[in-house]
Amino acid sequence: MTERFDAIVIGAGHNGLVCATLLAKARKRVLVLEANEQVGGAAVTRDFAEGFSVSTCAHLLYQLQPAVSKELGIEPRLAANDLATIALDTSGQHVRLAGDDVSGVGGADRTSYREFRKRMTRFADLLNGHLNAAPPRLGTSDRKDIFKLAKLGFDIRRLGREEMQEFLRLIGMNIYDELDERFESDLLKGALALDAVLGTHLGPRSPNTLMTYLYRLAGNHGRLSVPEGGMGDLTGMLAQAARTAGATVRVAKPVRRIVVNNGRVTGVETEDGESFESLTVISNADPKRTVLELVGARHVETGFAQRINRLRASGNAAKLHLALEGLPAIKGLEDADYGQRLVIAPDEHYVERAFNPAKYGEYSPEPVAEITFPSVHDPSLAPDGKHVLSATLQYTPYSLRSGWDGGARTAFLERVMKTLALYMPDLEGQIVARELLTPVDIEREFHITGGHWHHVELSLDQFMFVRPVSGAAQYAMPLDGLYLCGAGTHPGGGVSGAPGRNAARTILSREKSR
Amino acid sequence: MKTYDAIVVGAGHNGLTTAAFLARAGLDVVCVEKNDYIGGAAVSRQLYKDWWYSNCSYVCSLLRPEIYRALELHRHGLQVTPYGGSLTFMQNGDYFGSYHDHEVAYREMARFSRRDADAYKTYSADTMRQCRFIRDFLLRTAPDPASFKPKDLRGLMDIGRRFLEMGEDRMYETIRFWTMSVAEYLDEYFETDVIKAAMSGSGIIGTALGIHSPGTAYVLLHHKMGDVDGNVGTWGFARGGMGAVSKSIAGAFQAAGGELRTEAGCDKIIVKNGKVTGVGLENGEEIRARVVVSAMDVKRTFLNCMDRSDLPEKFYRRVENFKIRGSSGKLNIALDGLPTFPAIPKGSTLLHSDMHFIDSMERMERAYDDWKAGTWSKDPYVDMLIPTLNDPTMAPPGKHFMSCFVQYCPHKLEGRDWTEEDKQAFANTVIDQIANYSPDFKDLILHMEVRTPADIEAEIGITEGNIFHGELTMDQLLFNRPVPGYAQYRSPVAGLYLCGSSTHPGGGVMAAPGANAAREILLDLKRPNTVPDNFGDD
Amino acid sequence: MTDKDKVPSGRDEVPLARDKVPLARDKVPLARDKVPQGRLQTPFYPKLKRVDTLDKWHEWKGYTAADALYCEDMEYFAIRNATAVFDLTPMTKYRITGPDACDYLDRLVTRDMHKVAPGRVAYAVWCDDQGQVIDDGTIFHLRDGEYRLCSQERHLAWLEASAIGFDVTIRHETEEVAALAVQGPTSFSVLDKLGLDGLGDLKPFGLTHFDFEGAELMISRTGFTGDLGYELWIEPAKAEALWDALFEAGKLHGIRAIGTNALEMARIEAGFMAAYHEFLPADETVRTGRSRSPLELGLDWLVDFKKPNFNGRRALAEERRRGSAWRLVKLDIEGNKPAHNAYIFAKPKNNKSEIGFITSAHWSPVCKQNIALGTVRMPHGKPGDTVWVEIYYQREMHWNRMMAAAKVVDKPFWFPKRRSATPPGPY
């Protein structure tokens, strides 16, 4: 006798848990099935060396939507809040970005930066208003769709003539030109360029990077926090919320397939052969994995399968974890600043140059990096007096021409250490253990096709109305009973909870209207 | 001193078009040109013996047929002959040709991939759909989304209506098309590298973007939306070279009573009390007029020919930030005879077509990386043509003129000016690339003109020598071109208008900006409109 | 194949210019065309050329095909009165094999392919996700798990896209199979004379294999004429021999080769639709609303909503709920002036706008009727309705216009008993 549920959520990533909790709160009988031993998906804390643990993928929290914490009644425990970003300089003349202010640059840049922040946060707020709901369908006569579209138009108009013109001009632009027009400081431009391209297959010169920058600011204006106990603590809290709301969360239960009967979803089957029935299956997995592997292309129509199949979803970001005897010396960095977010992106050209090889399936010989020492805020992550370095590195294409399994991994790691050594000359000597997660490793460990942190590339042609693909941007897939709730859906990746929340709301409102 | 009704600055094809339509409305118009020849970048120049070089633009497709017809350009000597096909030489000795005949074209593609050959019809239909969408807006002023004027609202509603008519699925495809890169767009249809490489060239010509840059799918459209005799996407030669286009428009202008003055470079646009009063020439002369229309690019107009104090500061800064980037150069070559290309079948029509020497997407993109690093592409994208195979008037019998459009080529080399040695090295890069596929090519060269963006800027006056007077990115198209709020050919100064390619719908020998500007000017002057309406695609 | 002729695959790794590879110019003399220019010839072309007296040819998918060979009317009556032989080699053919072939086709087309047993042929249409017809064609279930799909247009891109998630192989085989349509009342008698044992038992839409001079000859009881008839499929090397044998056997049965024009007349009499006439392949339409769904083409009987999934199912289910926009109609028009390219109106006078247009028309010599196919907006064109057709015709330079009443008919104009009689009679 197989168990029946009102809804089954595949994957206990943060979005899956948010979605499950909201459904459970609406008195649905919800089952969450997680493939790994631990909940959290890619937002987990785990050991990577004896006594050392780290937030495996995402290590900074900045996008969690306030509506999500509110509706779920969770209060993330933060080890540190409002982190500054410090753009590292080899000679110690670092540039520091904190809130609306920047220091270490000329007066003109400071003023410009304030103006820039003001405009960008305003645009991000506009965008944010539309990230927290399913995007409208175009060309329908549904009043809700028309209202949403009208609201989008109205919101843009409401910016005022001049800001509206700027918005419509900037939205398709690249960050490089905007930075070039505004700023003098190379480090400042480098740091902002990095923000725009982190997690994407874009360089600062690529059009659309202003939009990806705005996306980063949406929600909390890019305010950075470090969750206590790592990202896994937050997802642990989400799992607890789900359980409290009545959902069943089961780990180490990888789903083998989504069962389709007579043209609709009827449940799932796990790798160990267990079956669960539900007429609503919500996948927190990426769209490719969900449709092509779990469901099978044969159960959907050709055009849809083809669109899913050609989604661009190859990750470029790698994660480096170092277990350290102690903090490395960084010239010109005050002790208190080791807890900030440190970036290696000396100028915008450097970032662009790092991107170039990624187009040809090669890694950056001089990578860009976003570095944190989470153990500075949270000693629980490392043995007494010891530390953890956690860094996001770009670009490391998933489809590396030579493959990641051969010598490429060691060779890349060498390049990384060389780059890091420019800023932390004594780093090598401090290392107790290290771990490099390339997109291939991320795919393997977290079952994200292509190891992309947005599941599918975040670019205007895969954004909003057409995310993940046209005709399926409202969480419901063209297969009755199947929904997506992961980063591959609107609005995209990052620990925001927005896709999960939007998906849950869509499912509940569809039920109501039925 | 005489006061003209209007002065048009710059006798390129757009300036002349505006001038002609204004003159036809009965205005007293003078068109001033800094060079001793007219045409701007649509010229045929006799730079070597009896050879005529189309030394800037070299083929014609975008020229709006409505304008052609309204100005009766055929009476003024214009004859556009379609030509077909393209050819890409491959490094393995093979080639990929695109033939005029559908079935032969199919077979050629099927030689590489049957799937690609089959996909081509869908690709064509999807691209044509986007062409039809945009073609309708070419001979119209872009509506301003920030305006509440009935005209703008109507214009916006019209765009909305046409968008809605596509149906839901095609609306999404349109959104995607406008935001994706040409490489991604082609990836959706084709699997063969050389086929994609051959098609992707149209996505980058004239821009400072690579084939992987989002937004380049639109640039592809910009090269496909033209037509010759209603055959959308077809290109043609102007008999006698591209100068024939400007000459014929000038003929129409003069026939309508307009006055043309060469060697009359504009030094300054004179503004008094916020209103334009005329133009100061480089020779110190001053010409007065109630209306001044600049066919120069937006930067040259406002940054070089005006006082900053005559313009609102915000506008000035936006003009400064307008992106006009030198990304392409040219080699114009006089040949003693027809070079042989051993890879091409003897007697093949492919010899008459555009020839290219880059056979992979990676090489296309790497060419762009060189430009980003501040140098010309070491393995450049060359669009090479021998117009004399179709047009007997451009060189003595048996001799030939070869036009090589080269991308990428920066305006400055790693921030410094070009030297003669640099130019020679740049030319050699191109010549070597061609000579790889034509063993006798080098020996046939009689004369060669090398044009970097800096040369084009110095001679024609276009900022950075950019063929489109400004990048064709989303932030600089439609209501954003050249500057939001001033995308309707008017400027912040009363009586001063723009009519060049910096305005909607952009560059190419299209004449649409010139015609649209004339329409707006006549509207302001309350004169009857002489500018034709869109033929409309049915 | 010489090295020089070797066709490189686009997928091969091509070294970069930077690598300074030695270029072909050092080795290769002036090349010949890599692909043939101009029209191709089918294996039957020499035979057609021999009987041709009119020299009227056109291009059909790159091949030379005859409009007519000696007299259009005689060719037409060969179909209806004796045996007509038509070269259909240029039809696009795909071989679909593999363990999932049946499931694959079942998802591709609108009808239930599980019901099509080996040895059977199915007429089918396939749609895009919007439920718009991409093409129609015939699917031959050659052997267990082995199919041939035969259609007017080429579809490899779509067929391969549809194969995601299926274990199938799709091979384009147009050039590998020569095909003849042998149609008309005496066609069975002709084939019977070839000594094809058991052919008489072959039912309509059946197929069977024979040996012909050591090659496999596939015969299906299918055709595009609406009459008794067969289609013969064989390897190109045996094409001419087959032709000769056929004409020898048919000598006393009035066998004749025919061109496309005669077939076109028969096709309209049978009420069969054709791409570019009654519908436009959806993947080639530029303008929204110019494609058609199977429901709009009167092919409801081919759409099996009992199947849980097939391309276009969701859209077609929605269309069925909401109602179609168009209807394909067969028209019996008064008078004898063919209604080529005519507009259709609901009333004979004071028409504000047309309700549709004619897509195919001609005078039917065998029915003595002025017949046409047309597409009209719903709810017009119910069987039995009368609509009005605006016909223009030219007589000695001058044009005349008439409004002709046209009755919407339900059944094909021509449907002789012999078409389905098994075994066929010796006509």
Side-chain angles (χ1 to χ4, degrees):
Chain A
M1 177 70 195
T2 53
E3 245 186 301
R4 273 204 122 118
F5 291 89
D6 293 331
I8 297 173
V9 177
I10 302 172
H14 70 278
N15 279 313
L17 291 170
V18 168
C19 184
T21 311
L22 293 176
L23 292 178
K25 277 180 179 260
R27 303 217 180 87
K28 302 280 156 208
R29 209 164 159 247
V30 184
L31 171 69
V32 183
L33 295 170
E34 166 58 42
N36 289 348
E37 299 280 344
Q38 211 177 339
V39 297
V44 290
T45 312
R46 66 152 168 73
D47 292 349
F48 68 100
E50 208 180 320
F52 294 88
S53 53
V54 73
S55 302
T56 318
C57 285
H59 56 179
L60 289 166
L61 187 63
Y62 53 93
Q63 278 170 314
L64 187 66
Q65 288 288 348
V68 170
S69 358
K70 197 176 141 213
E71 283 169 32
L72 268 64
I74 56 158
E75 190 65 55
R77 299 186 303 141
L78 301 178
N81 217 338
D82 282 327
L83 260 55
T85 291
I86 296 174
L88 294 180
D89 176 45
T90 44
S91 60
Q93 306 294 310
H94 311 305
V95 166
R96 183 192 175 100
L97 297 89
D100 295 337
D101 204 6
V102 57
S103 57
V105 297
D109 271 1
R110 276 188 82 169
T111 319
S112 278
Y113 185 69
R114 279 204 200 101
E115 280 171 20
F116 175 73
R117 276 287 294 186
K118 193 173 155 204
R119 176 170 281 163
M120 291 299 129
T121 49
R122 191 161 175 216
F123 290 168
D125 287 345
L126 190 162
L127 192 64
N128 197 48
H130 297 269
L131 302 185
N132 280 310
R137 277 177 58 187
L138 300 178
T140 67
S141 47
D142 189 303
R143 260 187 294 159
K144 262 193 226 153
D145 290 330
I146 293 168
F147 176 77
K148 273 189 198 167
L149 270 177
K151 184 172 180 318
L152 180 62
F154 179 70
D155 284 351
I156 295 175
R157 278 245 173 189
R158 211 171 44 175
L159 289 168
R161 188 179 166 82
E162 200 172 312
E163 289 302 292
M164 165 183 181
Q165 287 169 345
E166 273 307 288
F167 182 78
L168 293 177
R169 188 177 77 90
L170 288 172
I171 194 75
M173 229 174 91
N174 66 24
I175 188 98
Y176 178 97
D177 288 334
E178 179 66 7
L179 297 177
D180 241 25
E181 285 169 14
R182 285 182 173 276
F183 303 117
E184 293 292 321
S185 159
D186 283 340
L187 280 169
L188 175 59
K189 287 191 274 188
L192 294 172
L194 179 68
D195 278 354
V197 301
L198 266 179
T200 71
H201 181 71
L202 297 167
R205 272 188 190 266
S206 310
N208 291 357
T209 40
L210 218 109
M211 189 278 290
T212 49
Y213 180 72
L214 289 180
Y215 181 76
R216 189 180 170 86
L217 297 189
N220 298 304
H221 295 179
R223 213 168 290 137
L224 304 160
S225 331
V226 178
E228 196 168 328
M231 208 54 89
D233 189 73
L234 173 71
T235 43
M237 209 176 265
L238 290 175
Q240 194 46 52
R243 288 192 176 106
T244 310
T248 311
V249 182
R250 296 183 63 180
V251 295
K253 271 284 184 196
V255 170
R256 183 193 305 161
R257 68 183 188 105
I258 295 170
V259 182
V260 178
N261 270 313
N262 223 355
R264 73 152 4 270
V265 161
T266 57
V268 302
E269 202 179 284
T270 57
E271 289 287 356
D272 55 16
E274 209 174 333
S275 290
F276 301 94
E277 280 180 20
S278 176
L279 295 180
T280 300
V281 172
I282 306 143
S283 174
N284 186 22
D286 66 271
K288 281 190 167 181
R289 192 179 170 78
T290 304
V291 175
L292 302 179
E293 286 173 38
L294 297 179
V295 170
R298 65 176 62 205
H299 295 297
V300 296
E301 299 182 18
T302 295
F304 178 68
Q306 192 181 19
R307 285 201 288 269
I308 294 285
N309 191 46
R310 63 190 179 200
L311 270 173
R312 285 175 290 115
S314 282
N316 281 290
K319 198 68 200 301
L320 176 72
H321 304 136
L322 299 178
L324 302 174
E325 282 294 346
L327 290 171
I330 300 174
K331 192 173 175 190
L333 194 74
E334 286 169 29
D335 285 354
D337 280 346
Y338 276 86
Q340 311 299 349
R341 169 182 183 249
L342 312 176
V343 299
I344 296 178
D347 60 58
E348 74 280 27
H349 302 280
Y350 178 97
V351 183
E352 184 72 25
R353 275 200 307 277
F355 171 56
N356 283 343
K359 296 183 289 194
Y360 317 115
E362 295 157 10
Y363 57 73
S364 317
E366 292 179 326
V368 292
E370 173 194 75
I371 303 160
T372 60
F373 294 101
S375 48
V376 169
H377 304 290
D378 185 354
S380 72
L381 298 173
D384 264 358
K386 302 196 194 280
H387 282 284
V388 171
L389 179 149
S390 165
T392 301
L393 305 165
Q394 269 183 208
Y395 294 77
T396 54
Y398 168 78
S399 305
L400 197 71
R401 200 170 270 183
S402 63
W404 279 109
D405 290 333
R409 171 183 296 274
T410 330
F412 175 67
L413 205 50
E414 257 170 47
R415 304 296 318 184
V416 173
M417 294 319 294
K418 214 168 153 189
T419 303
L420 291 179
L422 294 175
Y423 302 86
M424 312 167 187
D426 67 343
L427 180 66
E428 196 71 47
Q430 307 273 18
I431 299 173
V432 179
R434 65 182 114 204
E435 176 186 54
L436 177 71
L437 296 174
T438 67
V440 171
D441 303 311
I442 293 170
E443 176 181 71
R444 209 172 290 147
E445 186 169 342
F446 303 108
H447 319 288
I448 301 170
T449 312
H452 197 298
W453 85 10
H454 288 287
H455 284 198
V456 306
E457 183 64 32
L458 191 70
S459 174
L460 276 181
D461 64 313
Q462 295 187 161
F463 190 59
M464 227 162 141
F465 309 103
V466 287
R467 185 173 186 87
V469 298
S470 42
Q474 288 76 28
Y475 306 97
M477 297 295 105
L479 174 64
D480 291 348
L482 180 67
Y483 297 83
L484 288 184
C485 74
T489 61
H490 175 76
V495 186
S496 74
R501 175 173 175 269
N502 293 350
R505 287 160 63 96
T506 303
I507 292 162
L508 292 172
S509 80
R510 274 167 79 105
E511 204 163 79
K512 219 178 284 169
S513 66
R514 199 165 290 147
Chain B
M1 201 164 106
K2 178 176 176 179
T3 301
Y4 287 93
D5 289 329
I7 304 169
V8 176
V9 181
H13 64 277
N14 276 315
L16 290 167
T17 301
T18 307
F21 284 118
L22 295 183
R24 285 183 152 224
L27 298 186
D28 190 5
V29 186
V30 61
C31 179
V32 296
E33 165 59 45
K34 82 178 178 91
N35 288 323
D36 61 358
Y37 57 89
I38 61 150
V43 287
S44 311
R45 303 206 55 212
Q46 193 173 10
L47 297 176
Y48 174 75
K49 291 189 181 165
D50 288 331
W51 272 260
W52 288 87
Y53 292 3
S54 286
N55 74 336
C56 290
S57 60
Y58 50 103
V59 281
C60 183
S61 161
L62 298 168
L63 180 65
R64 302 314 305 147
E66 296 89 343
I67 296 167
Y68 201 142
R69 178 171 155 170
L71 295 179
E72 299 177 292
L73 298 184
H74 66 288
R75 284 179 190 275
H76 300 285
L78 184 58
Q79 194 178 321
V80 175
T81 318
Y83 73 97
S86 80
L87 173 82
T88 302
F89 290 98
M90 295 172 68
Q91 288 183 306
N92 60 5
D94 198 357
Y95 62 84
F96 168 65
S98 97
Y99 292 84
H100 192 70
D101 182 275
H102 284 296
E103 278 301 319
V104 179
Y106 173 86
R107 279 171 218 153
E108 173 73 353
M109 229 181 268
R111 191 160 72 81
F112 296 90
S113 158
R114 270 200 190 270
R115 197 188 93 177
D116 285 0
D118 282 6
Y120 186 74
K121 59 182 179 181
T122 310
Y123 163 79
S124 298
D126 290 352
T127 310
M128 181 63 69
R129 193 173 307 118
Q130 299 304 330
C131 281
R132 284 171 45 79
F133 185 61
I134 189 70
R135 273 164 64 89
D136 206 40
F137 299 113
L138 298 180
L139 266 189
R140 291 189 200 195
T141 299
D144 183 353
S147 149
F148 287 99
K149 285 193 203 127
K151 194 178 146 200
D152 289 310
L153 292 175
R154 260 202 315 276
L156 286 170
M157 299 245 296
D158 201 44
I159 296 182
R161 182 181 55 79
R162 287 183 52 90
F163 187 57
L164 273 170
E165 274 171 6
M166 289 184 153
E168 186 177 359
D169 296 286
R170 286 171 174 177
M171 282 193 256
Y172 298 133
E173 291 314 310
T174 303
I175 292 180
R176 297 187 62 234
F177 180 86
W178 281 71
T179 51
M180 76 201 307
S181 73
V182 66
E184 286 150 10
Y185 184 60
L186 293 170
D187 275 345
E188 301 213 334
Y189 300 91
F190 306 108
E191 60 183 356
T192 309
D193 205 16
V194 66
I195 291 177
K196 287 188 279 187
M199 292 182 180
S200 66
S202 298
I204 50 138
I205 285 187
T207 77
L209 295 170
I211 54 164
H212 286 290
S213 307
T216 45
Y218 167 74
V219 182
L220 177 92
L221 201 62
H222 202 86
H223 291 98
K224 292 230 180 275
M225 68 192 181
D227 66 291
V228 177
D229 302 326
N231 295 310
V232 178
T234 304
W235 286 79
F237 288 112
R239 187 174 155 93
M242 289 304 283
V245 175
S246 339
K247 266 192 209 139
S248 65
I249 305 174
F253 170 51
Q254 285 169 316
E259 183 185 337
L260 199 52
R261 290 182 58 180
T262 54
E263 293 180 90
C266 168
D267 179 51
K268 198 165 178 238
I269 294 166
I270 304 164
V271 179
K272 285 192 184 125
N273 304 325
K275 208 178 157 343
V276 79
T277 60
V279 159
L281 298 182
E282 279 163 358
N283 63 10
E285 192 189 332
E286 195 179 315
I287 312 179
R288 285 195 200 157
R290 275 172 290 173
V291 164
V292 172
V293 192
S294 171
M296 299 180 289
D297 69 72
V298 61
K299 285 195 150 171
R300 197 174 167 87
T301 303
F302 294 109
L303 308 184
N304 295 19
C305 294
M306 290 188 75
D307 283 338
R308 189 166 185 157
S309 57
D310 286 336
L311 297 165
E313 187 54 24
K314 272 185 181 155
F315 175 81
Y316 192 88
R317 265 192 280 148
R318 278 183 168 167
V319 172
E320 278 184 319
N321 289 340
F322 186 75
K323 284 150 216 76
I324 306 187
R325 286 178 179 138
S327 58
S328 48
K330 261 205 94 182
L331 258 61
N332 298 304
I333 301 171
L335 294 170
D336 203 16
L338 190 62
T340 51
F341 294 91
I344 308 184
K346 201 172 184 177
S348 170
T349 52
L350 293 173
L351 194 61
H352 296 240
S353 61
D354 290 78
M355 296 191 211
H356 307 109
F357 307 88
I358 288 205
D359 63 354
S360 78
M361 296 296 266
E362 174 163 342
R363 287 174 67 196
M364 288 293 292
E365 182 69 19
R366 283 198 191 268
Y368 174 55
D369 289 348
D370 289 341
W371 180 88
K372 283 194 294 188
T375 169
W376 70 85
S377 308
K378 296 303 176 280
D379 180 21
Y381 169 74
V382 175
D383 183 33
M384 188 269 267
L385 271 169
I386 306 176
T388 36
L389 285 168
N390 291 40
D391 183 348
T393 68
M394 297 179 79
K399 314 289 178 192
H400 288 280
F401 161 61
M402 178 191 272
S403 162
C404 303
F405 172 90
V406 189
Q407 205 157 320
Y408 298 79
C409 181
H411 177 244
K412 290 201 164 176
L413 291 175
E414 289 162 358
R416 66 172 171 82
D417 288 332
W418 286 78
T419 64
E420 274 310 309
E421 292 73 54
D422 294 330
K423 275 177 72 170
Q424 198 50 53
F426 164 62
N428 287 342
T429 307
V430 179
I431 288 170
D432 288 346
Q433 196 191 49
I434 298 172
N436 271 341
Y437 302 92
S438 177
D440 56 356
F441 166 62
K442 280 187 187 175
D443 299 335
L444 291 169
I445 299 175
L446 296 171
H447 171 263
M448 174 172 64
E449 184 198 17
V450 185
R451 288 163 78 79
T452 67
D455 298 317
I456 296 170
E457 176 175 73
E459 190 182 320
I460 314 296
I462 305 172
T463 303
E464 291 208 16
N466 175 292
I467 67 167
F468 292 140
H469 287 210
E471 289 295 313
L472 294 177
T473 44
M474 273 214 323
D475 54 307
Q476 300 195 155
L477 284 176
L478 286 163
F479 50 82
N480 284 331
R481 193 171 184 90
V483 166
Y486 296 96
Q488 299 184 335
Y489 310 96
R490 295 172 185 83
S491 74
V493 177
L496 176 60
Y497 297 83
L498 286 184
C499 74
S501 294
S502 289
T503 59
H504 170 77
V509 184
M510 189 161 17
N516 291 340
R519 195 193 320 100
E520 295 298 327
I521 295 165
L522 292 172
L523 188 72
D524 286 357
L525 296 179
K526 301 194 167 58
R527 292 283 189 141
N529 181 28
T530 54
V531 180
D533 281 342
N534 230 315
F535 285 157
D537 294 326
D538 46 5
Chain C
M1 205 157 91
T2 66
D3 206 22
K4 180 175 70 191
D5 293 329
K6 216 162 112 187
V7 175
S9 137
R11 275 180 262 196
D12 285 352
E13 280 280 305
V14 178
L16 289 179
R18 303 160 190 247
D19 302 343
K20 292 276 178 254
V21 290
L23 280 166
R25 71 186 151 100
D26 302 326
K27 293 172 253 161
V28 183
L30 207 58
R32 285 176 287 114
D33 283 303
K34 298 269 164 95
V35 291
Q37 306 288 301
R39 290 175 192 164
L40 307 173
Q41 293 170 357
T42 76
F44 298 113
Y45 177 79
K47 297 291 171 192
L48 291 166
K49 191 74 194 153
R50 278 252 301 274
V51 296
D52 169 55
T53 59
L54 298 176
D55 206 17
K56 285 165 82 174
W57 306 88
H58 65 278
E59 192 218 274
W60 178 14
K61 285 279 162 274
Y63 287 91
T64 295
D67 294 330
L69 292 161
Y70 37 88
C71 169
E72 223 173 274
D73 289 346
M74 286 169 71
E75 290 171 34
Y76 164 79
F77 276 108
I79 302 173
R80 295 292 179 230
N81 191 41
T83 292
V85 178
F86 178 78
D87 176 9
L88 48 83
T89 307
M91 288 292 284
T92 308
K93 304 169 213 84
Y94 298 97
R95 181 71 64 112
I96 295 160
T97 49
D100 284 347
C102 182
D103 289 345
Y104 164 78
L105 288 167
D106 193 60
R107 200 272 299 251
L108 182 75
V109 304
T110 58
R111 70 183 292 171
D112 189 345
M113 287 306 295
H114 292 106
K115 290 182 185 158
V116 181
R120 297 293 298 164
V121 186
Y123 170 65
V125 287
W126 50 100
C127 298
D128 61 15
D129 288 17
Q130 284 72 47
Q132 302 297 296
V133 173
I134 292 175
D135 206 352
D136 65 345
T138 37
I139 300 174
F140 300 80
H141 196 166
L142 301 172
R143 288 172 193 88
D144 204 17
E146 189 177 341
Y147 295 84
R148 171 177 299 148
L149 186 147
C150 186
S151 65
Q152 183 62 245
E153 290 306 301
R154 299 163 175 139
H155 301 289
L156 194 61
W158 181 254
L159 295 179
E160 285 196 353
S162 300
I164 301 169
F166 289 95
D167 187 358
V168 287
T169 310
I170 301 153
R171 199 163 53 80
H172 185 269
E173 59 169 12
T174 300
E175 296 86 354
E176 295 161 27
V177 184
L180 288 177
V182 180
Q183 306 272 312
T186 64
S187 56
F188 172 68
S189 305
V190 173
L191 293 171
D192 200 36
K193 269 215 173 135
L194 281 180
L196 305 172
D197 279 351
L199 187 67
D201 301 331
L202 194 65
K203 291 184 186 150
F205 288 101
L207 71 84
T208 178
H209 296 89
F210 297 98
D211 176 81
F212 179 81
E213 298 188 357
E216 187 183 81
L217 169 67
M218 192 269 272
I219 297 186
S220 55
R221 190 167 166 186
T222 48
F224 209 41
T225 60
D227 218 308
L228 173 65
Y230 300 85
E231 288 169 333
L232 280 54
W233 315 76
I234 197 155
E235 64 185 60
K238 290 286 192 293
E240 292 197 55
L242 179 65
W243 180 284
D244 288 340
L246 200 59
F247 276 76
E248 182 58 32
K251 229 175 2 190
L252 302 177
H253 297 279
I255 194 166
R256 280 180 183 282
I258 65 163
T260 308
N261 293 356
L263 184 72
E264 174 70 4
M265 289 166 73
R267 178 293 274 183
I268 300 167
E269 287 169 350
F272 294 154
M273 60 184 202
Y276 297 103
H277 292 271
E278 279 68 39
F279 70 92
L280 202 62
D283 56 352
E284 291 177 46
T285 58
V286 173
R287 295 157 181 82
T288 300
R290 301 296 167 93
S291 53
R292 292 288 184 271
S293 81
L295 308 181
E296 289 170 334
L297 293 171
L299 299 174
D300 321 42
W301 61 278
L302 270 184
V303 183
D304 190 343
F305 284 107
K306 288 202 282 295
K307 293 203 297 182
N309 184 42
F310 60 86
N311 287 333
R313 189 186 191 280
R314 298 173 75 86
L316 291 172
E318 175 70 19
E319 182 182 329
R320 193 170 57 161
R321 228 177 356 259
R322 209 189 46 221
S324 301
W326 295 94
R327 177 174 6 223
L328 182 68
V329 291
K330 300 182 195 71
L331 296 176
D332 179 2
I333 304 168
E334 70 170 328
N336 61 355
K337 313 290 185 296
H340 299 296
N341 311 319
Y343 273 132
I344 304 173
F345 294 92
K347 285 180 276 176
K349 277 187 197 143
N350 302 328
N351 282 298
K352 283 220 180 67
S353 62
E354 78 283 356
I355 56 167
F357 46 89
I358 298 296
T359 52
S360 300
H362 78 91
W363 170 258
S364 165
V366 72
C367 305
K368 303 298 180 219
Q369 271 176 311
N370 188 20
I371 63 172
L373 303 177
T375 182
V376 295
R377 284 194 180 81
M378 295 288 268
H380 298 287
K382 282 191 290 295
D385 279 4
T386 297
V387 295
W388 296 82
V389 179
E390 185 182 38
I391 300 172
Y392 286 78
Y393 62 97
Q394 194 179 31
R395 290 293 179 270
E396 297 192 322
M397 192 172 91
H398 286 210
W399 281 96
N400 304 288
R401 173 184 173 273
M402 66 177 284
M403 285 297 267
K407 199 165 163 224
V408 180
V409 300
D410 203 10
K411 292 272 177 321
F413 304 101
W414 178 251
F415 199 109
K417 279 211 177 68
R418 63 184 180 234
R419 175 171 162 185
S420 47
T422 308
Y427 297 98

